[in-house]
Amino acid sequence: MAMVADIKDPRRIEPAFLLDERAMLEGWLEFHRMTLLFKCEGLTDAQRKARPVGTSLMSLHGLVRHMAEVERQWFRRVVAQDDAPLVLDYTTDEDADFAVEEADWEADLSWWQSEITAAREAVARLPLDHTGVRRGEDVSLRWAYNHMIEEYARHNGHADLIRELVEGSVGW
């Protein structure tokens, strides 16, 4: 089994210990975004689409599609109250983001990256206590940042296991 640990890459930077709140939140979110990308790099299309856990629909490719919709949902639709519709059709398949059999990796990677850019732009000038609305309840940008860090961290754990099962690499 290949062992990979402590990969140093200038694209993924752990935030400094002493930062203001916003810089800390943005830093950890960027760290986790890059971690998901690392989990997907260097694999074939088939490996990214593999679902090595028989009871789960999750694949690395599906996690990228899922996070593209999540970025759009929380930062644009909820916090910024942008009328951006969902990209995938969930009316007949509530797990459409994980349906990757016919999905195109380059298109989905580009979509995820564009959603990250759009998310950054949507909240760049908003204070952390700015509120949007989800299901009739106020949601602060601060809460959304914390949720997104948690969302990425949880799914990066899934990605870690998927990557290890697909080709043996661990770490990062």
Side-chain angles (χ1 to χ4, degrees), residues 37-82:
L37 179 62
F38 282 6
K39 294 295 175 187
C40 298
E41 287 183 336
L43 297 176
T44 66
D45 194 50
Q47 287 173 315
R48 283 187 300 267
K49 288 181 178 180
R51 294 176 175 149
V53 178
T55 57
S56 175
L57 296 176
M58 283 190 204
S59 66
L60 294 170
H61 189 147
L63 286 171
V64 165
R65 286 165 55 100
H66 174 70
M67 293 312 299
E69 285 282 32
V70 171
E71 292 271 359
R72 184 181 194 90
Q73 173 66 17
W74 284 105
F75 289 120
R76 293 177 61 195
R77 293 169 50 100
V78 173
V79 174
Q81 293 293 283
D82 183 345

Side-chain angles (χ1 to χ4, degrees), residues 37 44 47 52 79 92 97 99 107 119 123 126-127 136 139 142 157 171:
L37 179 62
T44 66
Q47 287 173 315
V79 174
T92 58
D97 39 1
V123 301
L126 300 176
V139 177
R142 179 180 288 105

